[in-house]
Amino acid sequence: MTQHTLSVLVENKPGVLVRIAGLWARRGFNIDSLAVGPTEHEEISRITIVVNCDEHPLEQVTKQLNKLINVLKIVELEPGSTVQRELILIERVLETVNLFRAKVVDVALDVITVEATGNREKLDALIKVLEPFGIKELVQSGMVAIGRGGRSITDRTLRPVERSA
């Protein structure tokens, strides 16, 4: 099994994420990472899905995803030609923050909240360094990714999205 990162453009409508996640669950796939957010078009959202599976089952699920009415486009992002980052927020006071090019985003009397972005390996290394000192709380996003260079999956090939009144 290999890791695959899919970028899925969908209509920004209620229930779309549930239908997409349900399709993966019915096939018995575990989603390693799932991140959803708006795009440059308010009526379209981007879902980044990371799964570990073989090529053939991935192709089957992708075909089924394409059949869903609210799915506009699906692209598999190749690791060498994409920028991939995760966000992590850690509450802990440490000088190590500068070492990992992280930022302090909140300061309280008993804790400092740190924000770091990077690939999975960098964030895992930061967590490993901070663990002996105690991490009070941790929250981590799923991976978001975008292709390098001028290529865009949100080009003019998208079918028009009907706006509801």
Side-chain angles (χ1 to χ4, degrees):
M1 292 206 294
T2 56
Q3 187 177 70
H4 302 274
T5 303
L6 299 177
S7 186
V8 183
L9 293 180
V10 298
E11 294 176 6
N12 190 11
K13 295 189 176 178
V16 174
L17 178 60
V18 171
R19 285 192 295 280
I20 290 174
L23 196 146
W24 289 96
R26 284 190 302 278
R27 288 291 204 162
F29 286 109
N30 183 41
I31 296 174
D32 293 337
S33 175
L34 178 71
V36 183
T39 66
E40 64 276 15
H41 305 286
E42 75 177 49
E43 68 275 5
I44 298 174
S45 293
R46 180 188 305 258
I47 302 174
T48 305
I49 304 170
V50 179
V51 293
N52 276 305
C53 64
D54 293 323
E55 288 291 330
H56 184 65
L58 177 69
E59 184 180 332
Q60 291 174 338
V61 174
T62 301
K63 286 179 181 177
Q64 288 181 335
L65 278 174
N66 270 317
K67 291 179 184 177
L68 295 177
I69 189 72
N70 300 114
V71 173
L72 304 173
K73 193 169 190 177
I74 302 169
V75 174
E76 182 171 0
L77 300 174
E78 298 298 326
S81 61
T82 59
V83 178
Q84 299 180 358
R85 294 291 185 266
E86 294 184 42
L87 167 70
I88 189 170
L89 300 172
I90 301 173
E91 293 186 347
R92 185 65 202 166
V93 181
L94 281 180
E95 290 291 323
T96 312
V97 170
N98 293 331
L99 243 167
F100 285 87
R101 295 188 185 138
K103 295 187 276 188
V104 174
V105 293
D106 186 56
V107 178
L109 292 175
D110 59 342
V111 70
I112 291 178
T113 302
V114 175
E115 172 188 298
T117 59
N119 60 31
R120 175 70 54 99
E121 292 76 24
K122 175 185 171 182
L123 297 180
D124 287 347
L126 175 59
I127 291 168
K128 188 175 181 176
V129 169
L130 295 179
E131 279 178 338
F133 299 97
I135 294 175
K136 184 173 182 180
E137 189 174 9
L138 184 143
V139 62
Q140 187 168 350
S141 74
M143 181 190 309
V144 292
I146 192 167
R148 291 186 186 272
R151 288 188 0 196
S152 170
I153 71 168
T154 56
D155 59 14
R156 293 184 206 139
T157 61
L158 294 177
R159 65 179 186 253
V161 176
E162 292 181 25
R163 294 182 190 235
S164 56

